[in-house]
Amino acid sequence: MKLQKPEFVHMNGRLRPWDEATLHVGCEAAIRGLNVFEGVKGYRQPDGSLAIVMLRRHYERLQRSASLLHIPFEHTYEAFTRGLRELAEALVQPDKEMWFRTTLFVTQGHWGEDTAAELVITAYQADTALPHPINLGVSTWRRSPDVSLPARIKTGSNYQVARLARIEGRALGCEDMVLLNQSGRVAEATGSCILMVREGSVFTPPASEGALESITLLAIEALARTQGIPFERRPIDRTELVVADELAICGTLAEVVPVKTIEGRPLPEKSTILKTLQTGYFQAVRGIAPHPEIQMTRVTPATRRNKKAAGRFRDSRKPKRAR
Ligand code: PMP
């Protein structure tokens, strides 16, 4: 049965015309609903410009997510980049970096028929300090399996569980939480992937364990390869986290964040591999030590004012609180 568009809705205690009953594109109802999205990060370059990390890979993942949810996505890579450029130039502040959320909201259609979507880009100023080490817990909530809500699809509704895990973690004094998969092995954190060091090697679970196909992991893997550090994707048991030599979480927004305690237990200060990779990551994305596999796309031009500001903050980076 096809439903007809009504004339009015009742919203917040009063009748409103259908077309005026709107939610803001940034509210949680919208961003954690039927949409697919990407978070991309712009870093200040030595010439003062702002450049986004591995943008084409983010565009391609957005295409994959949209395709898996049968959402039409017509924007070319050039149009996508143009949108980011226009917003960056409108909002950029010389002493800040920026995180952008590009969201394809489903705005028309029902049950997958006549689906239409609109691309919205929002941007937030980000501070430039190094992330503080965090307390990491293990949630009682679990990542949904591939046959329910695939972790491979970066859709807002996938983050309902992450939100519950964060609420659970806050009560335990944990800044982030590990989500286990349906088999009880490590999948990922609420908005980032897990890196674990044991006996000199870095391990992370493969995406088939219930993790997003992370782009930051590709960067970390490339840096590890260049530095001769063994890097392997393999399943990780919950108990391995506790006996790990070093742990970190990584993602576009999280960046590379060291873990100081896991489930309330301090990690031994036995290994500095992830700290080395963290330094390499920041040096690559800020153009201090570029890496051929970590491509950077400029979205604001180089200016003398920005260049001066870029130099200033590079010299004065202090640890920041985890987000
Ligand atoms: N897992 C989840 C659930 C995430 O939201 C993110 C952040 N996009 C990641 C992992 C890390 O992915 P990426 O490195 O591509 O940002």
Side-chain angles (χ1 to χ4, degrees), residues 293-313:
E293 285 171 66
I294 307 176
Q295 303 86 11
M296 304 299 298
T297 303
R298 277 189 170 66
V299 286
T300 66
T303 65
R304 204 176 306 146
R305 182 161 153 255
N306 288 349
K307 186 172 179 179
K308 224 164 115 201
R312 211 170 39 239
F313 80 68

Side-chain angles (χ1 to χ4, degrees), residues 58 61 143 154 159 188-193 212-217 250-252:
H58 282 281
R61 191 170 64 187
R143 171 57 70 232
K154 197 164 166 62
Y159 290 77
E188 58 182 348
T190 58
S192 49
C193 287
L212 181 72
E213 293 179 338
S214 160
I215 292 164
T216 315
L217 271 185
C250 79
T252 302

Side-chain angles (χ1 to χ4, degrees), residues 56-123:
R56 192 173 275 279
R57 285 202 178 263
H58 282 281
Y59 171 79
E60 287 169 358
R61 191 170 64 187
L62 187 61
Q63 276 185 321
R64 287 200 299 277
S65 295
S67 157
L68 284 165
L69 282 186
H70 304 267
I71 301 173
F73 178 42
E74 312 291 345
H75 286 66
T76 60
Y77 177 67
E78 287 66 33
F80 182 73
T81 313
R82 192 177 338 112
L84 285 161
R85 244 184 218 124
E86 285 173 4
L87 191 64
E89 287 195 26
L91 291 178
V92 76
Q93 292 175 10
D95 56 341
K96 295 277 188 188
E97 293 178 331
M98 290 176 96
W99 181 76
F100 303 81
R101 182 181 163 121
T102 61
T103 311
L104 196 58
F105 288 105
V106 172
T107 51
Q108 283 178 47
H110 275 287
W111 296 120
E113 280 180 15
D114 307 322
T115 305
E118 290 175 42
L119 182 69
V120 176
I121 309 178
T122 46

